[in-house]
């Protein structure tokens, strides 16, 4: 999904709010809260407002990451934050 997102950006096809929300939701699968926050930043920079769907997706990524930490070693924070 990330490759397609970047490809469309390069081809001058600007992402819309729905595209950003889908990408933020995809961060749940990769459990990367930092990437989700970066996408929200890009979304706002491009003139789109965070919607209920955006906030729900961010909470979903955060909770998925949080439960991963609870079930694993404390060193997983670097994995969650994509450091």
């Amino acid at each position: 999904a990330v490759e397609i997102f970047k490809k469309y950006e390069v081809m001058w096809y600007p992402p819309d709010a729905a595209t950003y929300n889908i990408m933020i939701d995809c961060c749940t699968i990769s459990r990367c809260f930092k990437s989700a926050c970066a996408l929200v930043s890009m979304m706002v920079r491009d003139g789109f407002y965070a919607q209920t769907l955006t906030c729900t997706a961010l909470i979903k990524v955060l909770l998925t990451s949080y439960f991963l930490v609870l079930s694993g070693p404390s060193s997983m924070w670097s994995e969650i934050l994509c450091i």
Side-chain angles (χ1 to χ4, degrees):
V2 174
E3 287 179 29
I4 294 170
F5 182 78
K6 288 179 182 179
K7 183 179 177 181
Y8 276 109
E9 260 190 335
V10 169
M11 293 173 29
W12 297 100
Y13 183 77
D16 58 2
T19 307
Y20 279 116
N21 286 322
I22 291 167
M23 291 301 299
I24 293 165
D25 197 43
C26 285
C27 291
T28 304
I29 297 166
S30 63
R31 296 180 173 135
C32 191
F33 184 68
K34 188 176 180 179
S35 293
C37 289
L39 284 163
V40 171
S41 177
M42 291 170 59
M43 181 179 181
V44 172
R45 182 195 67 205
D46 287 345
F48 299 104
Y49 295 104
Q51 304 165 343
T52 304
L53 183 62
T54 311
C55 296
T56 303
L58 276 175
I59 292 169
K60 190 173 157 185
V61 174
L62 186 59
L63 288 176
T64 302
S65 303
Y66 177 73
F67 287 120
L68 178 68
V69 168
L70 287 181
S71 65
S74 60
S75 64
M76 295 185 103
W77 275 112
S78 61
E79 223 178 280
I80 291 166
L81 298 176
C82 304
I83 300 172

